[in-house]
Amino acid sequence: MITALSLSAQSFKHPGILNSQDELNFIKDKIKKGEQPWKNAFDALKSSKYSSLTYTARPKATTDCGSYNKDKYGNSVPECKTFVEDAMAAYSASLMWYFTEDKKYAAQAIKLINAWSNVYVSNEGSNARLNVSWAAPWYANAAELLRYGNSGGASGWSNADIQKFESMLSKFLPYVKDETMPGNNWIQSAIEAHFAIAIFTNNRTEFNSAVSRWKTRVKTYIYQKSD
């Protein structure tokens, strides 16, 4: 019998978050065999700008993101978009490494993540919470593959760099746990980020908190005819 106590004590299975090892290995096998639709999807990933080995991160210590990616003075802030896109590129490169085992892709993903975790301080502005909630799952999923994919440790990502990344995730947490966000779409994005951070950092307390938030919030999306 599985009790609440035993469930709360269970360790996380890695790689996890968005991609399980069984799922990844299934897709990897299909790609090797050239089967569709997996081969076409892989080819699209490979040709994407986000998977390019020349893609360059554009990190910034503090990003001021207001509505429509503008600062409080109304000036456009490109970093609001690149903060998320750099995370997408890290995830794309980490997928390419997993499927091809070409360490150039692992090195690329590591470089992109390290670029941000080495300088990141904070997000500011009215959209700060949403911006972090959009970016965090991409970073965490990329990191999950680098840390645990292909037998674990094969990517070459150092423990020191992993610790810096975890420090960045800890800076993300206050943004994604803020329950005063305007609108459920913000909250649900934040809860996804909360889950991703909790799993990567093996933090059962934060994971349970994310579960509780999801159970509370998801009900507000479901309406009965009697409502």
Side-chain angles (χ1 to χ4, degrees):
M1 178 179 179
I2 298 176
T3 65
L5 181 61
S6 64
L7 183 63
S8 66
Q10 287 179 358
S11 60
F12 294 107
K13 187 175 181 180
H14 299 287
I17 310 177
L18 182 62
N19 308 113
S20 71
Q21 186 163 312
D22 288 343
E23 173 197 48
L24 290 163
N25 288 342
F26 174 84
I27 296 171
K28 191 175 188 177
D29 180 65
K30 295 296 185 181
I31 293 169
K32 286 182 178 179
K33 292 176 179 177
E35 296 185 18
Q36 300 295 359
W38 300 276
K39 184 181 183 303
N40 283 346
F42 172 76
D43 289 342
L45 172 66
K46 186 176 182 180
S47 62
S48 168
K49 69 175 184 178
Y50 298 114
S51 298
S52 172
L53 294 173
T54 62
Y55 184 100
T56 303
R58 294 142 292 181
K60 192 173 181 181
T62 299
T63 303
D64 184 357
C65 296
S67 298
Y68 305 105
N69 289 339
K70 294 181 179 181
D71 64 19
K72 59 186 176 183
Y73 304 109
N75 300 312
S76 179
V77 184
E79 293 84 2
C80 299
K81 184 177 180 181
T82 57
F83 177 53
V84 179
E85 288 194 332
D86 289 355
M88 293 167 61
Y91 177 61
S92 297
S94 67
L95 279 176
M96 285 297 300
W97 168 65
Y98 194 100
F99 293 140
T100 67
E101 299 186 29
D102 185 341
K103 290 198 70 171
K104 291 195 296 291
Y105 287 107
Q108 170 70 358
I110 291 168
K111 181 171 67 175
L112 296 174
I113 292 176
N114 288 352
W116 277 94
S117 58
N118 283 334
V119 304
Y120 179 83
V121 175
S122 65
N123 282 67
E124 297 180 358
S126 60
N127 273 16
R129 295 162 296 179
L130 184 60
N131 202 222
V132 173
S133 297
W134 282 345
W138 292 107
Y139 283 113
N141 279 296
E144 185 82 355
L145 293 180
L146 293 172
R147 191 178 195 179
Y148 299 105
N150 289 329
S151 300
S155 71
W157 198 20
S158 72
N159 288 332
D161 286 337
I162 292 173
Q163 289 176 7
K164 288 181 182 178
F165 175 68
E166 289 186 335
S167 177
M168 181 170 75
L169 293 182
S170 71
K171 295 173 185 175
F172 288 169
L173 268 178
Y175 297 100
V176 306
K177 292 173 68 175
D178 188 336
E179 285 289 321
T180 67
M181 293 187 211
N184 272 340
N185 59 324
W186 284 45
I187 290 289
Q188 294 293 359
S189 293
I191 292 172
E192 179 189 4
H194 196 178
F195 272 119
I197 293 170
I199 293 170
F200 182 80
T201 58
N202 291 296
N203 191 320
R204 177 61 63 174
T205 299
E206 292 296 350
F207 180 83
N208 290 342
S209 174
V211 170
S212 177
R213 294 174 71 198
W214 182 84
K215 286 181 176 180
T216 299
R217 290 287 179 168
V218 74
K219 290 183 289 187
T220 66
Y221 279 91
I222 301 171
Y223 295 90
Q224 306 296 325
K225 288 183 178 180
S226 59
D227 288 338

